[in-house]
Amino acid sequence: MQYRLLGRTGIHVSPLTLGCMMFGGRTSVEDSYAIIDRAIGVGVNLLDTANVYNDGRSEEIVGDALRRNGHRHHIVLATKVHGNMHKGDGLDPNRAGNSRRQIIEQCEASLRRLKTDWIDLYQIHRPQPECPIDETLRALDDLVRSGKVRYIGSSTFAAWQVVESLWVAKEYGLNRFVTEQPPYNLLDRRIERELIPACRSYGFGVLPWSPLAGGFLAGKYQRDGKQPEGRFADGTHMRAPALLGSQRAFDVVEALRKLATERGFTISQLALAWTAQQPGITSPIIGPRTLEQLEDNLGSLELKLGPEDLARIDAISPPGDVVVPFYQASFGPHELRW
């Protein structure tokens, strides 16, 4: 395993991150344990979850798994805050977002579910323009100073929001974000325009989510509408209509499949290897539902792409281009921001 520096932190992480979104949902508890143990066994040391994944069950299972295998001290454990953990409670409008109240409350809850005294990387899951970033950063800074959090990061922020967070952290003497977690795959390369240059300029670790476009780049979906069992077939994947309805997306998959076959790898391995080897990328987040999917994903570490391969991929999916949008969040300002 060739470890990489996580931005400017001085800690080393594996070139693939184990995303734990499926655990406690479509992946059973025992299968989740097996996936975590196998990933750690081959050297994956960064695990990423969130409070909202399966209403907290993902965090609980990750915490139980690390207690069972005894590897908590070897793992860089990451989770997130922002989403609503009380969707059925209509009485309280302050159950989501990036306020001090939400961040402190949800950090304590995540620590309990994860069965740990500290979170290595605590990330803001999405931007919230109506909440001033100085309030968010000050709450996170308090958690770092208390020892409950080691590092802080953002997820799916616009480039200007990343830079603003750095300015505010410097202005008020607060701990700064050290990572950004954006969507990035061969169907949406827009972060190459501004976000990646900003992150490279300011020393951010970049942890892309959905490098396989929600599984679409695994190549198992068909143009004719006869889809295999899963989130695309039952319509629960939020981007299923856009992906399955895009003829260009299927064109990309078919062209990538041809190149992958020539190289002796699967299309998913090609897509993961490409993401991991792009400039400025630290560790793409894989989200295997089964042990078989994990093994396939790990195979991407053996594929080294040369200049000719990269040129062919750029011809299939041009730099900075978008086929189906993944990079979407609240990127605008708010009139009451200051």
Side-chain angles (χ1 to χ4, degrees):
M1 190 70 68
Q2 299 294 316
Y3 293 93
R4 301 173 174 183
L5 280 171
L6 183 63
R8 60 199 294 274
T9 66
I11 62 174
H12 294 82
V13 296
S14 47
L16 290 178
T17 295
L18 179 62
C20 305
M21 186 173 69
M22 293 295 174
F23 303 162
R26 297 185 64 216
T27 303
S28 71
V29 173
E30 290 302 322
D31 286 348
S32 300
Y33 292 159
I35 291 170
I36 291 171
D37 290 346
R38 172 58 178 161
I40 294 174
V42 298
V44 173
N45 73 338
L46 178 52
L47 272 59
D48 178 80
T49 183
N51 60 345
V52 293
Y53 291 167
N54 298 309
D55 297 321
R57 281 295 290 146
S58 173
E59 287 186 329
E60 290 174 350
I61 290 170
V62 170
D64 288 339
L66 293 178
R67 176 167 289 185
R68 283 163 52 107
N69 61 33
H71 289 312
R72 172 64 187 96
H73 286 273
H74 303 292
I75 294 303
V76 179
L77 184 57
T79 191
K80 311 180 198 75
V81 59
H82 171 83
N84 189 347
M85 290 294 289
H86 303 273
K87 296 182 180 66
D89 186 355
L91 298 177
D92 191 347
N94 297 307
R95 290 296 194 179
N98 303 336
S99 67
R100 167 180 288 274
R101 171 175 172 162
Q102 171 78 351
I103 289 169
I104 300 300
E105 173 190 291
Q106 289 303 314
C107 181
E108 297 289 352
S110 288
L111 287 168
R112 289 193 296 271
R113 286 189 292 265
L114 290 166
K115 300 171 182 63
T116 185
D117 294 327
W118 81 98
I119 295 165
D120 292 290
L121 177 62
Y122 200 39
Q123 302 156 104
I124 300 299
H125 210 155
R126 290 294 187 274
Q128 184 191 13
E130 63 267 31
C131 182
I133 191 64
D134 57 296
E135 173 171 349
T136 300
L137 287 172
R138 196 172 294 280
L140 293 170
D141 184 75
D142 287 346
L143 291 173
V144 172
R145 293 176 187 273
S146 72
K148 295 178 180 179
V149 168
R150 298 291 191 258
Y151 301 101
I152 59 176
S154 58
S155 177
T156 319
F157 273 44
W160 77 266
Q161 291 169 324
V162 167
V163 175
E164 181 198 38
S165 77
L166 294 176
W167 176 80
V168 170
K170 183 177 181 180
E171 183 78 2
Y172 293 106
L174 305 173
N175 276 279
R176 49 160 282 180
F177 290 143
V178 299
T179 60
E180 160 60 19
Q181 187 180 129
Y184 186 41
N185 55 59
L186 282 165
L187 296 180
D188 192 343
R189 298 181 61 173
R190 286 177 294 169
I191 67 169
E192 296 172 354
R193 302 177 188 175
E194 293 189 18
L195 183 66
I196 290 295
C199 288
R200 295 182 72 185
S201 296
Y202 295 105
F204 275 62
V206 179
L207 310 171
W209 60 264
S210 208
L212 294 181
F216 189 84
L217 290 175
K220 62 181 180 180
Y221 301 101
Q222 308 297 322
R223 290 183 192 264
D224 61 11
K226 297 178 181 179
Q227 309 305 338
E229 182 181 354
R231 291 191 299 159
F232 283 87
D234 60 26
T236 58
H237 192 290
M238 63 183 296
R239 292 182 178 81
L243 287 163
L244 298 178
S246 171
Q247 293 303 309
R248 188 180 169 203
F250 282 107
D251 291 342
V252 169
V253 167
E254 290 173 4
L256 292 174
R257 191 195 310 276
K258 183 175 186 297
L259 175 57
T261 301
E262 291 175 10
R263 293 297 311 273
F265 288 84
T266 66
I267 180 175
S268 55
Q269 290 168 343
L270 174 67
L272 281 173
W274 175 86
T275 306
Q277 294 171 41
Q278 286 297 104
I281 299 302
T282 305
S283 181
I285 300 171
I286 57 175
R289 181 177 57 84
T290 65
L291 197 57
E292 180 183 16
Q293 289 177 357
L294 173 65
E295 296 295 350
D296 175 80
N297 292 171
L298 293 173
S300 68
L301 297 173
E302 304 300 320
L303 174 56
K304 305 303 178 186
L305 298 172
E308 182 179 342
D309 298 319
L310 295 173
R312 287 179 63 181
I313 292 172
D314 283 348
I316 297 167
S317 174
D321 197 12
V322 56
V323 178
V324 175
F326 282 74
Y327 185 42
Q328 296 171 305
S330 297
F331 292 150
H334 191 274
E335 63 180 1
L336 300 179
R337 190 171 181 81
W338 299 107

